[in-house]
Amino acid sequence: MNKKKGYSIQEVIEYRKLNWFHSNDFIYLKEVPINFESFWIQPEYCCFAIIHSGKVVIENETGGLETAEKGSFILFKPSSTYKILEILPGTTGAGILFNRNFLVSFSEDVFYLLHNSFINTLSAHVIGLQAADYSKLTVLFAQVFELLTTLTPHQWNYSAKGLFLTLVNETDGILQHYKSNRLFANAEEQQLISSFLHLSSVHFIQHREVAFYAGKLHISVGHLHRTIKKVLNTTPINILHKSVLQEAKQLLAFSNKNISEIADMLQFGSVHSFSKFFKKHTGVSPSHYVNAD
């Protein structure tokens, strides 16, 4: 397909046959089409989304390839050109689309807050989220979307914008350490961190040794440690432990598994080692955490 100057939201909806729910130029999406052919796009709207399954491959303006898989955050902005190279059939996620007119419709002070959020300050198009951040965004999107589906046409005009602001503000808070610290990272460091965060979100249960990720990235453990420390002011092992801890809390709070089963699922050698890990990072034992919850 030849490059086109831009697509309106309506053109995207009609062309991609997306399931959607709308109010003026604000829509939210849950699915992508099964049938797909590569196409260029220079959006006249802004879109941010998380991927739950499948894969989206994007070519940016410089010719670089960016892959969004489960646990990835995607941001499209106006005035940038992208080529969507691939969307695997059955890819799912949650996303918001809106144009500048929608932002301008807010009061001046709210527009200023939106303008200074991740919508304008996040430089990357695709970010591999830490498991804990992906979990938070998944819950956030689900809660907002559920509320949106309950609104009547009469309620939409005054309630939808409030829910949209909640989604942006909460997302902005979760993405703080991806946007602010990365302003001081060069392109190579940004790519390295994004790749590590994505790998860790996929493999943190099976692999909690930093050497595994350094090997996957074809760099030394020291190089990985220095880059993460410089840009994110933390360490690779802390990121891995945070992901394990978040998963443990989710399982303890919401699953019907007992502590022994959870320890086994998270691949701890014993209940004792799991309890020791959990108490070290939370100050309480798994059993106390469950009872307190």
Side-chain angles (χ1 to χ4, degrees):
M1 177 180 292
N2 294 328
K3 187 183 295 188
K4 186 177 178 179
K5 287 185 177 180
Y7 293 92
S8 69
I9 292 177
Q10 189 62 37
E11 286 178 307
V12 172
I13 293 167
E14 292 174 352
Y15 178 65
R16 306 311 313 156
K17 305 299 182 185
L18 296 166
N19 291 332
W20 59 288
F21 192 97
H22 74 100
S23 174
N24 297 324
D25 292 310
F26 163 54
I27 62 176
Y28 67 89
L29 314 171
K30 292 186 177 180
E31 299 175 358
V32 298
I34 294 177
N35 298 319
F36 174 81
E37 66 270 17
S38 176
F39 69 102
W40 284 97
I41 187 167
Q42 187 180 46
E44 297 174 346
Y45 57 82
C46 184
C47 169
F48 63 94
I50 51 175
I51 302 297
H52 294 321
S53 64
K55 181 173 70 173
V56 180
V57 181
I58 302 162
E59 180 181 336
N60 58 36
E61 290 177 301
T62 64
L65 299 183
E66 299 181 77
T67 300
E69 299 177 288
K70 179 181 178 180
S72 295
F73 181 89
I74 298 178
L75 175 65
F76 290 155
K77 301 179 184 180
S79 304
S80 295
T81 302
Y82 313 89
K83 187 175 186 180
I84 311 300
L85 295 176
E86 179 185 5
I87 301 179
L88 286 186
T91 296
T92 62
I96 292 286
L97 281 80
F98 54 94
N99 65 16
R100 181 176 173 81
N101 289 335
F102 179 74
L103 292 182
V104 172
S105 68
F106 287 92
S107 62
E108 184 175 343
D109 55 337
V110 174
F111 175 76
Y112 177 81
L113 291 174
L114 292 171
H115 183 75
N116 286 278
S117 71
F118 70 91
I119 294 170
N120 281 315
T121 58
L122 195 65
S123 58
H125 302 132
V126 176
I127 293 175
L129 298 168
Q130 296 181 34
D133 294 332
Y134 168 66
S135 178
K136 291 176 184 176
L137 283 174
T138 297
V139 172
L140 176 63
F141 270 81
Q143 290 175 337
V144 171
F145 282 16
E146 182 177 359
L147 290 171
L148 285 170
T149 60
T150 66
L151 297 179
T152 65
H154 175 70
Q155 294 172 318
W156 184 274
N157 289 332
Y158 61 85
S159 297
K161 284 187 176 181
L163 290 170
F164 171 82
L165 285 176
T166 298
L167 183 61
V168 171
N169 289 335
E170 293 294 325
T171 300
D172 192 57
I174 294 170
L175 296 178
Q176 279 296 323
H177 56 285
Y178 295 94
K179 65 176 187 176
S180 57
N181 292 327
R182 288 187 184 200
L183 295 177
F184 302 98
N186 58 41
E188 181 181 349
E189 290 170 335
Q190 289 186 29
Q191 182 59 52
L192 174 59
I193 290 170
S194 181
S195 297
F196 170 75
L197 292 176
H198 174 68
L199 283 170
S200 66
S201 70
V202 174
H203 300 291
F204 71 92
I205 293 179
Q206 294 84 3
H207 298 283
R208 293 199 276 275
E209 63 282 1
V210 178
F212 169 82
Y213 300 94
K216 286 285 188 181
L217 296 169
H218 307 292
I219 59 174
S220 68
V221 171
H223 184 187
L224 178 59
H225 180 91
R226 287 190 297 272
T227 303
I228 297 292
K229 185 66 177 177
K230 171 190 172 184
V231 180
L232 299 181
N233 195 31
T234 186
T235 64
I237 195 65
N238 283 343
I239 291 173
L240 292 167
H241 284 173
K242 182 179 178 181
S243 297
V244 174
L245 186 64
Q246 181 67 23
E247 186 71 12
K249 287 180 176 179
Q250 292 286 325
L251 290 170
L252 288 168
F254 301 112
S255 77
N256 57 1
K257 305 292 184 182
N258 60 42
I259 294 174
S260 177
E261 290 172 321
I262 292 173
D264 186 59
M265 289 175 64
L266 296 178
Q267 299 196 7
F268 283 88
S270 64
V271 173
H272 174 73
S273 61
F274 170 58
S275 298
K276 183 178 179 181
F277 169 87
F278 193 88
K279 188 170 184 178
K280 176 182 177 181
H281 292 280
T282 65
V284 297
S285 67
S287 58
H288 278 98
Y289 181 83
V290 171
N291 293 332
D293 189 64

